[in-house]
Every structure is written in structure tokens, then in C-alpha cells.
Amino acid sequence: MEIDRPATNGDGAGAAEEMDLERPFLRRSSSGSRRRRTAGETPLGSPSRRPSFRQEMGHAAAETYLITRLTLILLRYLGVGSRWITKFLALGFYALLLMPGFIQVGYYYFFSNQVRRSVIYGEQPRNRLDLYLPINGSTPKPVVAFVTGGAWIIGYKAWGALLGRRLAERDVIVACIDYRNFPQGTISDMIKDASQGISFICNNIVDYGGDPNRIHLMGQSAGAHIAACALVDQALREHQGENTSWSMSQIKTYFGLSGGQVFKYNLFDLVDHVHRRGLYRSIFLSIMEGEQSLQRFSPELTVQDQSFHPAIICLPQIILFHGTGDYSIPSTASENFATALRSVGAQVKLILYEGKTHTDLFLQDPLRGGRDDLLEDVVAVIHAGDAVALAKDTTAPKARRLVPEWQLKLAREISPF
């Protein structure tokens, strides 16, 4: 079913060497036995042991060093061509125009008691996640595991702060998963990190007031691609009887927002598209582990492979959101993915938002305040079947505007995304 929405007003040294360019996406070997934490065990990132101010400052300094170092490595790939300089300047002006909102969200992120930052879920430097907790914790809450976007290069868990805040206000716990970006890692590393983050959430979210049987997976832009890859990989593993650290039965929905879930059969068309958008061909192919791997890391092509068909039954319901005005990742990406999923019998719904761009749905609209169509659509799915939550949704106060309208409109015009 397609729904058209009208437009509304309103780490350390040597990290790069950790890349393994030969690892397949759909691995057939066992990943180890599933192990649920028993009563009395202390989980990683236990809510009872919040880090001290000194520890947080040390962690912030380490992350700053890591990001600076990776930026310098990335610059060696980018060079200083005119296209890169233009994109960089556009990004700077874009961020400046939205700064009033970013400051307010940043204050919430760093000082709210409802945010648990940098909870450790694995051994890699970027294996951290942020938790956004509702104020009312009297009953177990539904959970959204969110994988942020960032062109596989500049993704960071804090990019999900605005979404986390909005959903937490609607009694939903949000876990924003960080993962290794290029050049610290390639697509295999990103998928592995995302899956490990999902595993931590499935096995530990009860300690933060979450319901481990009401978990929804969501990804935005490149994060939608990474999350979809992790999802189909897990479905295949479970169908083949492998022991895994989390269960697909815990994932109720996959939400794909403005995702690049599909790599076209004509691979050169995609490479040329992202090259024109500023993600140079050499970088893109390095991220995806070479041209020969593009098909392997395409969820659309994976679900159409006959060897995957028996695993379709393991997939949760899939809901794809996309703006028809998205020129970074055209809405045809989600349309084609939805068509492929329907052709093999998966449960899928496609919701299109008329005229919305790549950043409208995730940034400009939430910063505008008032009714947010995407948020309402997501919450309606999460709260389906919960009469009490649905009743509260009907009386939920409208979100406050964070950025003046003229700044939002100008930011929309100069957005490099």
C-alpha cells in the first residue's frame, strides 16, 4: 500500500587496518551461541553505574581525538576539489541556519536526566549507544533501536537526539546506535556493529525500563541501508538454524527512512549518481568493499535471491518512508525495495511524503514544531493495540518550534544533502 502525504507548512592508531575487505555479507558460519543475561548479572552500561564527570570528559576527549584523526585520513581520500569545497561550505551554512535548534537539542542531550550517553555495547571504539528514556517509567516501554545516517562517513549516534527526544515524549525508549564509519571501517564493519548494538538492546533494555518483546528497528538514509543489511543477514542466520545473540521475534517492525536500501542492477548508474552528489566514486567503492561487492550488500537483490526465499518468514513487518522531493536518495529507491519485498511475500508498506526532501522529514519538520506527520505515523505503529497509549496520543501536546520559519526554508534550499 502506498500513501502519498501532502506537503505541510508550517580509533586508536591502526583503526584503518582493521578493515577486512573479504568478509561476505551473508555469512554461513556460526556466530556463537545465543546467551541471555541471567538475573543478578551486571550488564555492560548498567544504569546503576553512571560514569563520573571525569570519566565523561576523558571519553569526550578520546572521541574528539578519534574523529579528528579519522577526518584527516578522510581528507586524504577527498582531496580539495571544488565539489568537495562547495559541499563543505553548504554544510557549514546549513548548520549555522539550524543552530538555534541544535543548541536546544544539544542542551537536552548533555544535561537531561532522561538521556544515558555512550552506553558500551561492544569492544570497538565506536561501540556505544545513547538511550532516551521517557519520564514516566512505571510500566515497560516500547523501544526503537535507531541507526543514524551520514553517507557511511559522518554518521554519529548524537544525530538521533531530536528523534530520541520526540519519541521519549511519547513514552517510547530510543536507543541510538553508533558504529564505525569509513575510513575506520567498511560496510561489513558497519553491519557487524549495528547487529551487535541491536543484540545489546534486545538482551539489556529491560534494565532501562524497556519491553524486550516490543522492539522496533529504524534506520535513516545510510543508516536505513545498514539496518536493512543487518536485518536480512539475521533472518538468514536464524532460518539456517545458527545460534545468534538476538532473535528476530523481538523485532516487531523495521522502519526505513529515506533509505538507500537498493543498489541498481546497473551498478555504474549508482556510482555515477553518488559521485555527482559529492561522494566520490573511489570513496564509495572503498566503503562498499569494491565494485564486485555491490550486489552482496544490496538488501533488494538479497531478498530476491532464491536462497533467501525460505527466510522471508523471519522478517518483521517493513514500513518504508520517503519524500518525493528527495534528490540525495530518490524515492524510487524505497519504491523498488517495496516492490521486491512484495514479490517474495514480505509484509511491506510504503509511505511517500509529497515534496519532502532528504532532510525535511528528519530535521526541518521536527524543528518546525507542531504536527509532524512522520512522527505520528511511527508512533501509530508502535502504539498499535495499546488502547491506553493511543488515547494519550490523541491528547499529546504539540511540539514547540525550535527554529524560525525563514531559517528553515533557507536551510532547505542550501542543504548539501
Side-chain angles (χ1 to χ4, degrees):
M1 178 174 67
E2 299 184 8
I3 302 175
D4 291 327
R5 293 289 187 189
T8 56
N9 295 324
D11 227 58
E17 285 76 25
E18 293 175 4
M19 304 177 198
D20 181 356
L21 304 187
E22 300 301 324
R23 280 175 291 175
F25 167 36
L26 297 176
R27 292 160 294 199
R28 295 323 199 247
S29 61
S30 174
S31 62
S33 60
R34 181 187 303 173
R35 178 179 181 275
R36 286 184 176 275
R37 187 176 42 77
T38 58
E41 274 188 90
T42 302
L44 288 173
S46 170
S48 63
R49 295 189 301 172
R50 296 196 66 180
S52 66
F53 178 76
R54 181 178 179 181
Q55 289 173 320
E56 289 203 353
M57 290 299 294
H59 178 64
E63 286 200 339
T64 301
Y65 169 77
L66 171 65
I67 292 172
T68 302
R69 181 175 179 275
L70 295 177
T71 299
L72 293 175
I73 296 173
L74 179 61
L75 287 176
R76 294 209 299 266
Y77 287 90
L78 289 173
V80 289
S82 59
R83 185 181 300 141
W84 182 86
I85 293 174
T86 301
K87 293 287 184 182
F88 181 80
L89 291 175
L91 178 61
F93 283 117
Y94 178 78
L96 185 64
L97 286 166
L98 300 183
M99 192 58 66
F102 291 163
I103 291 173
Q104 295 174 74
V105 175
Y107 184 87
Y108 167 81
Y109 179 74
F110 285 107
F111 297 105
S112 173
N113 290 329
Q114 306 311 122
V115 181
R116 303 288 185 270
R117 299 189 310 278
S118 295
V119 177
I120 299 172
Y121 71 78
E123 297 179 353
Q124 295 296 327
R126 297 289 294 271
N127 287 177
R128 306 286 190 273
L129 58 83
D130 294 331
L131 289 167
Y132 299 84
L133 309 176
I135 293 176
N136 176 18
S138 58
T139 57
K141 307 297 183 185
V143 182
V144 169
F146 182 63
V147 184
T148 63
W152 304 277
I153 293 175
I154 58 172
Y156 185 58
K157 57 188 173 62
W159 300 167
L162 183 56
L163 176 72
R165 177 180 178 177
R166 293 292 188 234
L167 285 176
E169 292 170 349
R170 303 293 286 272
D171 268 358
V172 178
I173 293 176
V174 179
C176 292
I177 301 170
D178 205 10
Y179 55 91
R180 284 170 286 178
N181 287 198
F182 184 80
Q184 189 184 20
T186 56
I187 187 64
S188 291
D189 301 304
M190 301 175 201
I191 296 168
K192 179 180 179 181
D193 288 352
S195 184
Q196 193 169 356
I198 297 167
S199 173
F200 176 89
I201 294 163
C202 289
N203 290 292
N204 294 280
I205 200 62
V206 67
D207 294 300
Y208 298 90
D211 185 342
N213 295 310
R214 286 194 294 164
I215 297 174
H216 306 262
L217 177 61
M218 184 175 189
Q220 187 263 340
S221 192
H225 168 243
I226 295 168
C229 286
L231 196 71
V232 297
D233 189 21
Q234 180 73 9
L236 186 64
R237 288 172 177 273
E238 290 194 15
H239 173 72
Q240 293 176 336
E242 295 185 17
N243 293 318
T244 57
S245 61
W246 56 283
S247 171
M248 288 287 288
S249 65
Q250 294 175 269
I251 307 299
K252 301 307 176 188
T253 314
Y254 166 72
F255 297 114
L257 172 58
S258 305
Q261 295 98 334
V262 52
F263 294 125
K264 296 289 188 182
Y265 291 102
N266 186 342
L267 304 179
F268 291 100
D269 285 350
L270 176 69
V271 175
D272 289 341
H273 172 74
V274 296
H275 183 79
R276 288 192 298 270
R277 296 296 306 156
L279 183 57
Y280 294 150
R281 182 181 291 101
S282 60
I283 300 176
F284 182 77
L285 292 177
S286 295
I287 294 170
M288 297 301 158
E289 303 178 4
E291 185 176 313
Q292 73 281 358
S293 299
L294 291 177
Q295 179 167 339
R296 190 166 76 236
F297 295 117
S298 169
E300 178 186 321
L301 301 184
T302 299
V303 299
Q304 293 180 90
D305 191 296
Q306 285 197 345
S307 64
F308 185 82
H309 287 181
I312 291 294
I313 193 173
C314 297
L315 293 176
Q317 68 169 331
I318 296 172
I319 303 179
L320 306 177
F321 306 106
H322 221 120
T324 61
D326 190 334
Y327 46 83
S328 289
I329 301 178
S331 57
T332 52
S334 289
E335 293 171 17
N336 292 340
F337 190 31
T339 299
L341 288 164
R342 290 192 190 102
S343 71
V344 295
Q347 303 176 61
V348 60
K349 180 189 294 185
L350 172 65
I351 300 179
L352 299 175
Y353 300 88
E354 186 64 33
K356 296 296 183 179
T357 68
H358 196 66
T359 55
D360 279 339
L361 296 172
F362 189 63
L363 280 176
Q364 282 96 255
D365 286 354
L367 291 171
R368 179 173 284 112
R371 177 183 170 83
D372 182 340
D373 286 338
L374 172 66
L375 181 73
E376 297 301 329
D377 288 338
V378 170
V379 170
V381 173
I382 294 173
H383 287 163
D386 186 338
V388 174
L390 290 172
K392 290 176 64 176
D393 288 338
T394 61
T395 60
K398 292 183 178 180
R400 181 172 57 88
R401 176 184 287 275
L402 301 180
V403 177
E405 186 64 23
W406 72 269
Q407 288 179 246
L408 290 172
K409 290 182 177 179
L410 184 55
R412 186 181 194 269
E413 295 300 318
I414 68 172
S415 170
F417 304 109

PDB file of all heavy atoms in Angstrom, residues 376-398:
ATOM      1  N   GLU A 376       4.027  11.022  13.822  1.00  0.00           N
ATOM      2  CA  GLU A 376       2.701  10.467  14.100  1.00  0.00           C
ATOM      3  C   GLU A 376       2.527   9.100  13.446  1.00  0.00           C
ATOM      4  O   GLU A 376       1.925   8.196  14.026  1.00  0.00           O
ATOM      5  CB  GLU A 376       1.611  11.428  13.615  1.00  0.00           C
ATOM      6  CG  GLU A 376       1.609  12.775  14.328  1.00  0.00           C
ATOM      7  CD  GLU A 376       1.409  12.647  15.832  1.00  0.00           C
ATOM      8  OE1 GLU A 376       0.720  11.703  16.272  1.00  0.00           O
ATOM      9  OE2 GLU A 376       1.957  13.485  16.568  1.00  0.00           O
ATOM     10  N   ASP A 377       3.065   8.921  12.229  1.00  0.00           N
ATOM     11  CA  ASP A 377       2.963   7.639  11.550  1.00  0.00           C
ATOM     12  C   ASP A 377       3.753   6.556  12.298  1.00  0.00           C
ATOM     13  O   ASP A 377       3.301   5.414  12.421  1.00  0.00           O
ATOM     14  CB  ASP A 377       3.469   7.755  10.116  1.00  0.00           C
ATOM     15  CG  ASP A 377       2.513   8.539   9.224  1.00  0.00           C
ATOM     16  OD1 ASP A 377       1.323   8.627   9.570  1.00  0.00           O
ATOM     17  OD2 ASP A 377       2.967   9.068   8.190  1.00  0.00           O
ATOM     18  N   VAL A 378       4.938   6.919  12.775  1.00  0.00           N
ATOM     19  CA  VAL A 378       5.762   5.956  13.520  1.00  0.00           C
ATOM     20  C   VAL A 378       5.097   5.588  14.846  1.00  0.00           C
ATOM     21  O   VAL A 378       4.994   4.403  15.200  1.00  0.00           O
ATOM     22  CB  VAL A 378       7.174   6.532  13.759  1.00  0.00           C
ATOM     23  CG1 VAL A 378       7.955   5.662  14.742  1.00  0.00           C
ATOM     24  CG2 VAL A 378       7.937   6.653  12.442  1.00  0.00           C
ATOM     25  N   VAL A 379       4.642   6.587  15.583  1.00  0.00           N
ATOM     26  CA  VAL A 379       4.021   6.339  16.887  1.00  0.00           C
ATOM     27  C   VAL A 379       2.756   5.499  16.744  1.00  0.00           C
ATOM     28  O   VAL A 379       2.475   4.622  17.577  1.00  0.00           O
ATOM     29  CB  VAL A 379       3.716   7.675  17.598  1.00  0.00           C
ATOM     30  CG1 VAL A 379       2.847   7.456  18.838  1.00  0.00           C
ATOM     31  CG2 VAL A 379       5.012   8.377  17.995  1.00  0.00           C
ATOM     32  N   ALA A 380       1.982   5.739  15.687  1.00  0.00           N
ATOM     33  CA  ALA A 380       0.749   4.967  15.475  1.00  0.00           C
ATOM     34  C   ALA A 380       1.049   3.480  15.325  1.00  0.00           C
ATOM     35  O   ALA A 380       0.291   2.632  15.824  1.00  0.00           O
ATOM     36  CB  ALA A 380       0.017   5.492  14.247  1.00  0.00           C
ATOM     37  N   VAL A 381       2.156   3.157  14.664  1.00  0.00           N
ATOM     38  CA  VAL A 381       2.536   1.750  14.509  1.00  0.00           C
ATOM     39  C   VAL A 381       3.025   1.182  15.837  1.00  0.00           C
ATOM     40  O   VAL A 381       2.651   0.076  16.241  1.00  0.00           O
ATOM     41  CB  VAL A 381       3.628   1.603  13.430  1.00  0.00           C
ATOM     42  CG1 VAL A 381       4.147   0.167  13.373  1.00  0.00           C
ATOM     43  CG2 VAL A 381       3.105   2.029  12.073  1.00  0.00           C
ATOM     44  N   ILE A 382       3.870   1.935  16.539  1.00  0.00           N
ATOM     45  CA  ILE A 382       4.437   1.450  17.796  1.00  0.00           C
ATOM     46  C   ILE A 382       3.349   1.209  18.838  1.00  0.00           C
ATOM     47  O   ILE A 382       3.378   0.229  19.590  1.00  0.00           O
ATOM     48  CB  ILE A 382       5.485   2.455  18.328  1.00  0.00           C
ATOM     49  CG1 ILE A 382       6.685   2.516  17.372  1.00  0.00           C
ATOM     50  CG2 ILE A 382       5.951   2.064  19.733  1.00  0.00           C
ATOM     51  CD1 ILE A 382       7.691   3.596  17.723  1.00  0.00           C
ATOM     52  N   HIS A 383       2.371   2.096  18.894  1.00  0.00           N
ATOM     53  CA  HIS A 383       1.323   2.008  19.915  1.00  0.00           C
ATOM     54  C   HIS A 383       0.100   1.212  19.451  1.00  0.00           C
ATOM     55  O   HIS A 383      -0.889   1.124  20.190  1.00  0.00           O
ATOM     56  CB  HIS A 383       0.892   3.403  20.347  1.00  0.00           C
ATOM     57  CG  HIS A 383       1.894   4.098  21.208  1.00  0.00           C
ATOM     58  ND1 HIS A 383       1.876   5.464  21.432  1.00  0.00           N
ATOM     59  CD2 HIS A 383       2.967   3.620  21.898  1.00  0.00           C
ATOM     60  CE1 HIS A 383       2.880   5.793  22.221  1.00  0.00           C
ATOM     61  NE2 HIS A 383       3.555   4.691  22.522  1.00  0.00           N
ATOM     62  N   ALA A 384       0.139   0.639  18.275  1.00  0.00           N
ATOM     63  CA  ALA A 384      -0.997  -0.140  17.774  1.00  0.00           C
ATOM     64  C   ALA A 384      -1.319  -1.266  18.758  1.00  0.00           C
ATOM     65  O   ALA A 384      -0.433  -1.993  19.215  1.00  0.00           O
ATOM     66  CB  ALA A 384      -0.677  -0.718  16.402  1.00  0.00           C
ATOM     67  N   GLY A 385      -2.594  -1.390  19.103  1.00  0.00           N
ATOM     68  CA  GLY A 385      -3.018  -2.426  20.032  1.00  0.00           C
ATOM     69  C   GLY A 385      -2.935  -2.035  21.493  1.00  0.00           C
ATOM     70  O   GLY A 385      -3.360  -2.796  22.367  1.00  0.00           O
ATOM     71  N   ASP A 386      -2.377  -0.864  21.782  1.00  0.00           N
ATOM     72  CA  ASP A 386      -2.277  -0.365  23.160  1.00  0.00           C
ATOM     73  C   ASP A 386      -3.280   0.775  23.321  1.00  0.00           C
ATOM     74  O   ASP A 386      -2.986   1.929  22.984  1.00  0.00           O
ATOM     75  CB  ASP A 386      -0.855   0.111  23.440  1.00  0.00           C
ATOM     76  CG  ASP A 386      -0.615   0.505  24.900  1.00  0.00           C
ATOM     77  OD1 ASP A 386      -1.603   0.813  25.608  1.00  0.00           O
ATOM     78  OD2 ASP A 386       0.556   0.506  25.321  1.00  0.00           O
ATOM     79  N   ALA A 387      -4.464   0.461  23.828  1.00  0.00           N
ATOM     80  CA  ALA A 387      -5.548   1.442  23.906  1.00  0.00           C
ATOM     81  C   ALA A 387      -5.177   2.632  24.775  1.00  0.00           C
ATOM     82  O   ALA A 387      -5.519   3.779  24.464  1.00  0.00           O
ATOM     83  CB  ALA A 387      -6.820   0.775  24.432  1.00  0.00           C
ATOM     84  N   VAL A 388      -4.467   2.381  25.872  1.00  0.00           N
ATOM     85  CA  VAL A 388      -4.084   3.469  26.783  1.00  0.00           C
ATOM     86  C   VAL A 388      -3.128   4.429  26.088  1.00  0.00           C
ATOM     87  O   VAL A 388      -3.285   5.654  26.141  1.00  0.00           O
ATOM     88  CB  VAL A 388      -3.448   2.905  28.064  1.00  0.00           C
ATOM     89  CG1 VAL A 388      -2.923   4.033  28.943  1.00  0.00           C
ATOM     90  CG2 VAL A 388      -4.454   2.060  28.833  1.00  0.00           C
ATOM     91  N   ALA A 389      -2.107   3.891  25.413  1.00  0.00           N
ATOM     92  CA  ALA A 389      -1.121   4.730  24.723  1.00  0.00           C
ATOM     93  C   ALA A 389      -1.768   5.504  23.582  1.00  0.00           C
ATOM     94  O   ALA A 389      -1.466   6.693  23.373  1.00  0.00           O
ATOM     95  CB  ALA A 389       0.024   3.876  24.199  1.00  0.00           C
ATOM     96  N   LEU A 390      -2.656   4.858  22.843  1.00  0.00           N
ATOM     97  CA  LEU A 390      -3.333   5.531  21.730  1.00  0.00           C
ATOM     98  C   LEU A 390      -4.212   6.671  22.231  1.00  0.00           C
ATOM     99  O   LEU A 390      -4.292   7.738  21.596  1.00  0.00           O
ATOM    100  CB  LEU A 390      -4.168   4.530  20.937  1.00  0.00           C
ATOM    101  CG  LEU A 390      -3.383   3.504  20.115  1.00  0.00           C
ATOM    102  CD1 LEU A 390      -4.314   2.448  19.537  1.00  0.00           C
ATOM    103  CD2 LEU A 390      -2.604   4.190  18.992  1.00  0.00           C
ATOM    104  N   ALA A 391      -4.857   6.469  23.377  1.00  0.00           N
ATOM    105  CA  ALA A 391      -5.680   7.533  23.951  1.00  0.00           C
ATOM    106  C   ALA A 391      -4.822   8.719  24.368  1.00  0.00           C
ATOM    107  O   ALA A 391      -5.206   9.880  24.160  1.00  0.00           O
ATOM    108  CB  ALA A 391      -6.464   6.995  25.151  1.00  0.00           C
ATOM    109  N   LYS A 392      -3.648   8.441  24.927  1.00  0.00           N
ATOM    110  CA  LYS A 392      -2.731   9.520  25.314  1.00  0.00           C
ATOM    111  C   LYS A 392      -2.209  10.261  24.090  1.00  0.00           C
ATOM    112  O   LYS A 392      -1.985  11.470  24.132  1.00  0.00           O
ATOM    113  CB  LYS A 392      -1.566   8.951  26.131  1.00  0.00           C
ATOM    114  CG  LYS A 392      -1.956   8.471  27.519  1.00  0.00           C
ATOM    115  CD  LYS A 392      -0.781   7.836  28.231  1.00  0.00           C
ATOM    116  CE  LYS A 392       0.341   8.820  28.496  1.00  0.00           C
ATOM    117  NZ  LYS A 392       1.437   8.194  29.274  1.00  0.00           N
ATOM    118  N   ASP A 393      -2.026   9.533  22.980  1.00  0.00           N
ATOM    119  CA  ASP A 393      -1.528  10.161  21.755  1.00  0.00           C
ATOM    120  C   ASP A 393      -2.503  11.215  21.229  1.00  0.00           C
ATOM    121  O   ASP A 393      -2.087  12.224  20.644  1.00  0.00           O
ATOM    122  CB  ASP A 393      -1.284   9.103  20.676  1.00  0.00           C
ATOM    123  CG  ASP A 393      -0.068   8.236  20.977  1.00  0.00           C
ATOM    124  OD1 ASP A 393       0.807   8.690  21.743  1.00  0.00           O
ATOM    125  OD2 ASP A 393      -0.007   7.109  20.457  1.00  0.00           O
ATOM    126  N   THR A 394      -3.787  10.988  21.425  1.00  0.00           N
ATOM    127  CA  THR A 394      -4.786  11.931  20.904  1.00  0.00           C
ATOM    128  C   THR A 394      -4.743  13.262  21.639  1.00  0.00           C
ATOM    129  O   THR A 394      -5.190  14.276  21.104  1.00  0.00           O
ATOM    130  CB  THR A 394      -6.200  11.334  21.010  1.00  0.00           C
ATOM    131  OG1 THR A 394      -6.508  11.076  22.390  1.00  0.00           O
ATOM    132  CG2 THR A 394      -6.307  10.044  20.211  1.00  0.00           C
ATOM    133  N   THR A 395      -4.219  13.262  22.854  1.00  0.00           N
ATOM    134  CA  THR A 395      -4.154  14.499  23.653  1.00  0.00           C
ATOM    135  C   THR A 395      -2.723  14.989  23.854  1.00  0.00           C
ATOM    136  O   THR A 395      -2.491  15.879  24.664  1.00  0.00           O
ATOM    137  CB  THR A 395      -4.822  14.282  25.021  1.00  0.00           C
ATOM    138  OG1 THR A 395      -4.138  13.227  25.718  1.00  0.00           O
ATOM    139  CG2 THR A 395      -6.292  13.918  24.854  1.00  0.00           C
ATOM    140  N   ALA A 396      -1.780  14.388  23.138  1.00  0.00           N
ATOM    141  CA  ALA A 396      -0.380  14.789  23.295  1.00  0.00           C
ATOM    142  C   ALA A 396      -0.189  16.234  22.847  1.00  0.00           C
ATOM    143  O   ALA A 396      -0.690  16.631  21.786  1.00  0.00           O
ATOM    144  CB  ALA A 396       0.523  13.872  22.475  1.00  0.00           C
ATOM    145  N   PRO A 397       0.527  17.045  23.624  1.00  0.00           N
ATOM    146  CA  PRO A 397       0.744  18.442  23.233  1.00  0.00           C
ATOM    147  C   PRO A 397       1.618  18.545  21.988  1.00  0.00           C
ATOM    148  O   PRO A 397       2.468  17.687  21.744  1.00  0.00           O
ATOM    149  CB  PRO A 397       1.459  19.038  24.455  1.00  0.00           C
ATOM    150  CG  PRO A 397       2.101  17.869  25.134  1.00  0.00           C
ATOM    151  CD  PRO A 397       1.174  16.702  24.905  1.00  0.00           C
ATOM    152  N   LYS A 398       1.400  19.579  21.203  1.00  0.00           N
ATOM    153  CA  LYS A 398       2.208  19.778  20.001  1.00  0.00           C
ATOM    154  C   LYS A 398       3.621  20.203  20.385  1.00  0.00           C
ATOM    155  O   LYS A 398       3.821  20.917  21.358  1.00  0.00           O
ATOM    156  CB  LYS A 398       1.563  20.833  19.106  1.00  0.00           C
ATOM    157  CG  LYS A 398       0.247  20.391  18.492  1.00  0.00           C
ATOM    158  CD  LYS A 398      -0.311  21.458  17.559  1.00  0.00           C
ATOM    159  CE  LYS A 398      -1.607  20.997  16.905  1.00  0.00           C
ATOM    160  NZ  LYS A 398      -2.166  22.020  15.987  1.00  0.00           N
TER     161      LYS A 398
END
